[in-house]
Amino acid sequence: MVWRGILVLIGAGLTANAVWLAVTSNLNAGVVMQLVLAGLLIAFGAWQRLSSSRWVSLPAILLAAVLFIVSVFLAGFGMADDADYREDALVVLGAAVHGGTVSPSLAQRLDLAIEYHERNPDAVIVVTGGQGPQEDLPEAVAARDYLVEHGVSPRAILVEDRSTSTAENFSFAKELLDQRLPSGYRIAFVTNEYHVWRAARAATRAGLDAHHLHTDTRWYLWPSSFLRESAAAVWSWTD
């Protein structure tokens, strides 16, 4: 059937994309999930017995529907920026570093931080992120160097280089900001649109009065990024 051939083609495309990301970028949970999804699509398309079984196809369709609905929700929520450029600080959430070079996603966030700084130069910028696998230095250090190279004064930047999660990004950033700013300060944070919803929850839990700005995810990162974040968002609803 035609639809089975389409599934195989989609699966092959997702496989090629995931392999390319694994080779050229950092391997992460989203890429692994994408490879698993690609394998399932190819199996459904190539093996008629599997695709014709209701015990397999119905749960698969339900799961796909849930992931699609959650992804649409995350994108819509994330693109509705509410920062007013009068906040006291801007927190740039960490993203991958390739060796010692910021990834395209992190560069996007930092470019938006530079634009924010130009409109609100009094705001403190907090760059966040520790050092992960395949990274030669902490994400926050690479981010600070990028900002300084693009004209931001080092005095305007605080470096949070210990965190390993979004929750820690905000928790450790708050420790730095509490020492720098008087009580009652407001922050904005920068991240990709798919990540805003969960990041906003983490900021609130850390005790921060937070608003947000988003960057748009490049099309070739959509599958891995939204798969990973949709799964994380569904899991976080159980907290």
Side-chain angles (χ1 to χ4, degrees), residues 15-28 31 34 96-105 133-135 218 220-221 224:
T15 299
N17 175 255
V19 170
W20 177 73
L21 289 176
V23 171
T24 61
S25 183
N26 294 356
L27 182 64
N28 57 43
V31 174
Q34 183 175 328
V97 171
H98 302 155
T101 305
V102 300
S103 64
S105 292
Q134 301 174 278
E135 297 177 343
R218 288 175 166 82
Y220 54 83
L221 294 173
S224 62

Side-chain angles (χ1 to χ4, degrees), residues 55-124:
W55 295 106
V56 177
S57 58
L58 289 180
I61 292 171
L62 178 60
L63 177 60
V66 169
L67 290 176
F68 177 77
I69 292 170
V70 173
S71 295
V72 171
F73 166 76
L74 293 177
F77 184 95
M79 290 188 289
D81 294 340
D82 62 0
D84 60 15
Y85 294 87
R86 294 194 299 270
E87 292 83 9
D88 302 292
L90 179 70
V91 177
V92 183
L93 297 184
V97 171
H98 302 155
T101 305
V102 300
S103 64
S105 292
L106 183 52
Q108 280 184 293
R109 298 180 189 184
L110 294 169
D111 288 340
L112 185 55
I114 292 169
E115 293 179 16
Y116 184 97
H117 180 67
E118 291 172 349
R119 294 181 60 176
N120 182 10
D122 294 329
V124 178

Side-chain angles (χ1 to χ4, degrees), residues 6-220:
I6 293 174
L7 289 180
V8 171
L9 288 175
I10 294 174
L14 289 174
T15 299
N17 175 255
V19 170
W20 177 73
L21 289 176
V23 171
T24 61
S25 183
N26 294 356
L27 182 64
N28 57 43
V31 174
V32 174
M33 292 177 66
Q34 183 175 328
L35 284 170
V36 171
L37 174 62
L40 292 174
L41 290 175
I42 293 172
F44 266 82
W47 191 11
Q48 183 175 1
R49 179 177 293 183
L50 185 64
S51 60
S52 62
S53 171
R54 292 184 178 181
W55 295 106
V56 177
S57 58
L58 289 180
I61 292 171
L62 178 60
L63 177 60
V66 169
L67 290 176
F68 177 77
I69 292 170
V70 173
S71 295
V72 171
F73 166 76
L74 293 177
F77 184 95
M79 290 188 289
D81 294 340
D82 62 0
D84 60 15
Y85 294 87
R86 294 194 299 270
E87 292 83 9
D88 302 292
L90 179 70
V91 177
V92 183
L93 297 184
V97 171
H98 302 155
T101 305
V102 300
S103 64
S105 292
L106 183 52
Q108 280 184 293
R109 298 180 189 184
L110 294 169
D111 288 340
L112 185 55
I114 292 169
E115 293 179 16
Y116 184 97
H117 180 67
E118 291 172 349
R119 294 181 60 176
N120 182 10
D122 294 329
V124 178
I125 301 176
V126 185
V127 288
T128 67
Q131 183 173 344
Q134 301 174 278
E135 297 177 343
D136 294 340
L137 74 170
E139 295 167 3
V141 173
R144 178 202 59 198
D145 293 345
Y146 184 97
L147 292 176
V148 172
E149 289 172 3
H150 288 76
V152 179
S153 170
R155 294 190 298 274
I157 305 170
L158 296 177
V159 178
E160 182 289 293
D161 58 2
R162 297 181 293 144
S163 58
T164 60
S165 67
T166 301
E168 289 184 351
N169 286 162
F170 285 115
S171 177
F172 296 156
K174 185 176 185 298
E175 292 179 6
L176 295 175
L177 289 170
D178 285 348
Q179 298 172 16
R180 178 78 171 258
L181 299 173
S183 61
Y185 61 82
R186 300 164 60 240
I187 75 160
F189 66 85
V190 177
T191 190
N192 288 72
E193 80 281 72
Y194 62 80
H195 188 222
V196 167
W197 181 80
R198 195 161 58 92
R201 283 166 55 97
T204 299
R205 290 181 176 183
L208 291 166
D209 180 2
H211 305 270
H212 62 81
L213 295 168
H214 83 281
T215 59
D216 295 321
T217 304
R218 288 175 166 82
W219 65 269
Y220 54 83

